Amino acid sequence: MPIYIVDDNRDICEFLAFLLSCEGHKVHVFTHPEDALSHIQAKQVQPDILITDYNMPGMNGCELHQHVSQHAPAVKTILISGRTLGGEAAGLHFLQKPFPPDHMIKLVESLKSTKQ
């Protein structure tokens, strides 16, 4: 189950990659949304889970989700942000930074269990 992590903050990317790979997940990390989209299109992969920051240069996390879901319609997306999003989360899963690591693990596991 590939997990794509997209956040313009490299430290967040590294933290999430370490956290989730320690739980046995295969992760791909990108600091630019366009790089993630290019990779998905070039490799023709369908990530199962997309974890993305809401505020990024070029496009926000909801826009990234829309683009990714064109190639991977079943993708489950987790938005993360340092601010409350309210309706901006557009019905996607949301964790506000900073969040306890176990909250991310539990959310990923619950999404993983819905894929089976």
Side-chain angles (χ1 to χ4, degrees), residues 58-78:
M59 74 178 73
N60 68 40
C62 289
E63 294 166 335
L64 178 60
H65 166 77
Q66 291 172 346
H67 288 292
V68 171
S69 65
Q70 291 175 359
H71 300 280
V75 69
K76 305 286 187 186
T77 299
I78 302 170

Side-chain angles (χ1 to χ4, degrees), residues 58 66-67 84-85 93 97 104 113:
Q66 291 172 346
H67 288 292
T84 303
L85 295 182
H93 300 277
K97 299 176 193 174
M104 178 62 77
S113 68

Side-chain angles (χ1 to χ4, degrees), residues 4-8 29-43 45 50 52-61 63-65 67-68 71:
Y4 279 56
I5 300 167
V6 185
D7 195 312
D8 57 329
V29 174
F30 303 91
T31 55
H32 298 285
E34 295 84 4
D35 293 343
L37 286 174
S38 295
H39 182 267
I40 289 168
Q41 292 168 349
K43 303 289 184 182
V45 294
L50 170 66
T52 181
D53 188 21
Y54 180 78
N55 294 308
M56 295 182 290
M59 74 178 73
N60 68 40
E63 294 166 335
L64 178 60
H65 166 77
H67 288 292
V68 171
H71 300 280

Side-chain angles (χ1 to χ4, degrees), residues 1-5 20 25-28 47-51 108:
M1 165 179 275
I3 298 175
Y4 279 56
I5 300 167
L20 296 171
H25 298 286
K26 182 178 180 181
V27 298
H28 299 274
D48 292 316
I49 297 176
L50 170 66
I51 301 171
V108 166

